[in-house]
Amino acid sequence: MLNLPITEIFSSIQGEGPYVGVRQIFLRLPKCNLRCPYCDTETTVPEQFRIETVPGSRYFDMMSNPISLEKLQELLFLTYDFSLHHSLSVTGGEPLLWVNELKVLLPFIRAKGLNIYLETNGTLPEHLHQVLPWVDVISMDIKLPFTGQTFWDVHETFLRYSLQKEVFVKIVIHKETTLKDLQNACDLIAGVDPTILTILQPVTETQGIMTPKPYQLLNWQSLFLKKLSNVRVIPQTHVFLGQL
């Protein structure tokens, strides 16, 4: 039986994208293949992971890493009432780095009647292909260029694979985001399918990276709407609500 390291597990309200407000079980996995400048998530593998046994209590039990998939399956099923939850949000870090383990875990979760909601940076299309049969919703980031790195080609491949499932695109934007990068992102999505739901997500201020001005949000949304049919501006609402 495979083992899987975990960062944390908790039950909360989805705070991003079109599923804002739904109840989910969050399974956060460590490690990431990117180092985004605005990321505030710890990605190293901890010696122990935390699990909130009473939702919203901020009380966590600590368990040793890694955990066997058999034990993890039992832990999820016994700790949380699946019937109260829309889905299991598999997030990170970049969860597709653990594709071999997910190929075992996700079929079990689906068999118990819970949908799978995958949050991913959209840069590992071949990994996605391996777990696609057990995924229901794909929340795919488009990473705008940073520190000389660009991801346009791999994002396009990933997005084309994702069309087999329900997919939406999320683009984190900040005050210094450039029109050139936004136009490239818009063209990429339009070239795959202009009806794909696109979320412009204003960054929550961190590490000196500032939230866009109101006029920027409206102008950028107008830019995307010239080629795409469904573009929304949605901030991280769980921050406002004080949710995990």
Side-chain angles (χ1 to χ4, degrees), residues 19 24-25 27 76 82 86-91 102 105-119 131-139 165-166:
Y19 282 89
Q24 292 180 319
I25 300 169
L27 174 65
L76 288 170
F82 282 18
H86 170 271
S87 48
L88 175 74
S89 175
V90 186
T91 186
L102 293 179
L105 176 64
L106 299 190
F108 167 83
I109 300 297
R110 285 284 300 277
K112 294 296 184 180
L114 195 61
N115 291 329
I116 304 298
Y117 179 104
L118 176 67
E119 299 192 49
V131 299
L132 205 52
W134 305 288
V135 173
D136 297 284
V137 180
I138 301 171
S139 169
K165 299 291 182 172
E166 179 184 348

Side-chain angles (χ1 to χ4, degrees), residues 41 96 163:
T41 301
L96 288 177
L163 291 178

Side-chain angles (χ1 to χ4, degrees), residues 195-208:
T195 68
I196 292 172
L197 171 60
T198 300
I199 307 297
L200 301 180
Q201 180 174 296
V203 69
T204 299
E205 292 186 12
T206 180
Q207 302 175 55

Side-chain angles (χ1 to χ4, degrees), residues 133-190:
W134 305 288
V135 173
D136 297 284
V137 180
I138 301 171
S139 169
M140 175 194 163
D141 285 1
I142 284 187
K143 299 296 186 182
L144 301 180
F146 60 87
T147 61
Q149 300 178 79
T150 59
F151 310 97
W152 305 122
D153 290 343
V154 72
H155 276 333
E156 180 179 354
T157 301
F158 194 101
L159 190 54
R160 291 190 184 278
Y161 281 0
S162 300
L163 291 178
Q164 301 175 51
K165 299 291 182 172
E166 179 184 348
V167 59
F168 66 91
V169 168
K170 181 181 70 181
I171 305 172
V172 176
I173 51 177
H174 56 87
K175 187 178 178 182
E176 303 304 322
T177 298
T178 69
L179 282 175
K180 178 182 177 182
D181 287 343
L182 291 173
Q183 187 65 66
N184 286 337
C186 180
D187 291 344
L188 185 156
I189 300 165

Side-chain angles (χ1 to χ4, degrees), residues 8-13 23-24 26 28 49-62 80 237-244:
E8 60 183 353
I9 307 173
F10 56 94
S11 168
S12 188
I13 297 167
R23 185 76 166 269
Q24 292 180 319
F26 290 81
R28 187 179 304 281
F49 70 90
R50 64 180 195 169
I51 176 168
E52 190 183 33
T53 53
V54 179
S57 68
R58 297 299 198 274
Y59 176 79
F60 294 90
D61 288 341
M62 304 301 295
Y80 302 108
T237 63
H238 59 285
V239 176
F240 306 148
L241 297 173
Q243 296 288 333
L244 290 174

Side-chain angles (χ1 to χ4, degrees), residues 18-66:
Y19 282 89
V20 160
V22 303
R23 185 76 166 269
Q24 292 180 319
I25 300 169
F26 290 81
L27 174 65
R28 187 179 304 281
L29 304 181
K31 292 192 177 182
C32 189
N33 58 319
L34 302 180
R35 292 293 180 266
C36 300
Y38 48 79
C39 182
D40 59 358
T41 301
E42 180 59 57
T43 59
T44 58
V45 178
E47 292 185 4
Q48 295 182 307
F49 70 90
R50 64 180 195 169
I51 176 168
E52 190 183 33
T53 53
V54 179
S57 68
R58 297 299 198 274
Y59 176 79
F60 294 90
D61 288 341
M62 304 301 295
M63 302 188 68
S64 296
N65 263 327

